[in-house]
Amino acid sequence: EPDRVAEAVYDLKLDYAVITSVNRDELPDGGAFIFAETVRCIRAIRPSCLVELLVPDFCGNLESLDVVLRAKPDVLNHNVETVPRLYRTIQPWSNWDDSLAILRHAGEQGFVTKCGIITGLGETNEELFDAIRQVRETGCQILTVGQYLSPTPRHATVERAVSNEEFKQYEEFARELGFAAALCGSLVRSSYRAKWAYE
């Protein structure tokens, strides 16, 4: 798979690629080697391409994260997705502290870090502001905040549509906290204007 991804990046002549996957909790390293090998394969045939990795929390295993970081991605992205109170409901396979640890550890190693949050799941504005603050305290530099849209009836329901004014408030707050880039809006997702946010 890393070879095939690299070949696609080469064929498409990409200058910025965002690489992610489903959680691979069944693997001892959580899929860390596959992420790292994908970066190496891209660099081998398209060295000019910047690579952003959107990774899981590796079940809190920072040694697995180090496997990824040794491949030297240009951006290490990990989404907390929601506020601490709702974490176990929305992300039952993960936990808030592990997510923050991923961002903090990568930042301490000198990597550009990025994080995404989705809104409309029942959080209050106060909870969202606090979540943004906690993410920033890890040293995270890039933030995305977007509206949750339920993909199927089996998923969590949309509790409310967040207004454009609220998204502006989130963005202003994030910039006041010192994020280098903050992209907040109803259709914003993790990879939204990814190269622009990095530059």
Side-chain angles (χ1 to χ4, degrees):
E1 190 66 15
D3 283 329
R4 289 195 292 270
V5 171
E7 288 166 7
V9 167
Y10 180 83
D11 290 344
L12 292 168
K13 299 179 173 55
L14 298 183
D15 56 9
Y16 196 101
V18 180
I19 309 297
T20 191
S21 78
V22 296
N23 280 0
R24 297 301 305 271
D25 294 347
E26 83 284 5
L27 299 176
D29 70 350
F33 173 79
I34 299 171
F35 275 107
E37 189 63 13
T38 301
V39 175
R40 288 189 284 266
C41 288
I42 291 171
R43 294 264 165 77
I45 64 173
R46 182 84 174 154
S48 62
C49 183
L50 299 171
V51 181
E52 175 179 320
L53 296 182
L54 173 52
V55 301
D57 69 357
F58 299 116
C59 298
N61 186 340
L62 296 181
E63 291 180 5
S64 291
L65 178 59
D66 284 336
V67 169
V68 172
L69 297 179
R70 282 194 288 273
K72 300 194 181 307
D74 295 286
V75 178
L76 193 287
N77 185 349
H78 175 69
N79 293 334
V80 296
E81 303 291 8
T82 189
V83 301
R85 177 176 61 84
L86 298 175
Y87 217 74
R88 276 306 193 191
T89 302
I90 304 304
Q91 300 256 95
W93 54 86
S94 185
N95 75 67
W96 178 259
D97 290 335
D98 284 350
S99 286
L100 294 186
I102 289 288
L103 295 166
R104 184 176 297 107
H105 185 74
E108 288 171 350
Q109 309 273 333
F111 287 88
V112 174
T113 53
K114 180 178 179 180
C115 185
I117 302 175
I118 51 177
T119 60
L121 286 162
E123 75 287 339
T124 66
N125 272 336
E126 291 74 16
E127 287 177 316
L128 190 60
F129 286 130
D130 183 59
I132 292 171
R133 183 183 298 106
Q134 289 189 54
V135 168
R136 178 62 188 134
E137 286 172 354
T138 70
C140 185
Q141 295 130 302
I142 304 171
L143 177 75
T144 61
V145 181
Q147 172 71 51
Y148 171 69
L149 300 172
S150 183
T152 73
R154 295 190 309 273
H155 288 77
T157 58
V158 177
E159 295 295 328
R160 74 183 185 100
V162 177
S163 70
N164 289 337
E165 182 57 39
E166 288 171 295
F167 280 118
K168 287 179 185 174
Q169 291 173 4
Y170 304 152
E171 188 167 312
E172 289 171 4
F173 180 69
R175 291 185 183 281
E176 288 171 5
L177 290 177
F179 280 95
L183 300 102
C184 305
S186 58
L187 297 180
V188 170
R189 297 296 179 265
S190 293
S191 57
Y192 181 80
R193 299 182 69 185
K195 185 181 179 186
W196 176 88
Y198 172 73
E199 293 177 335

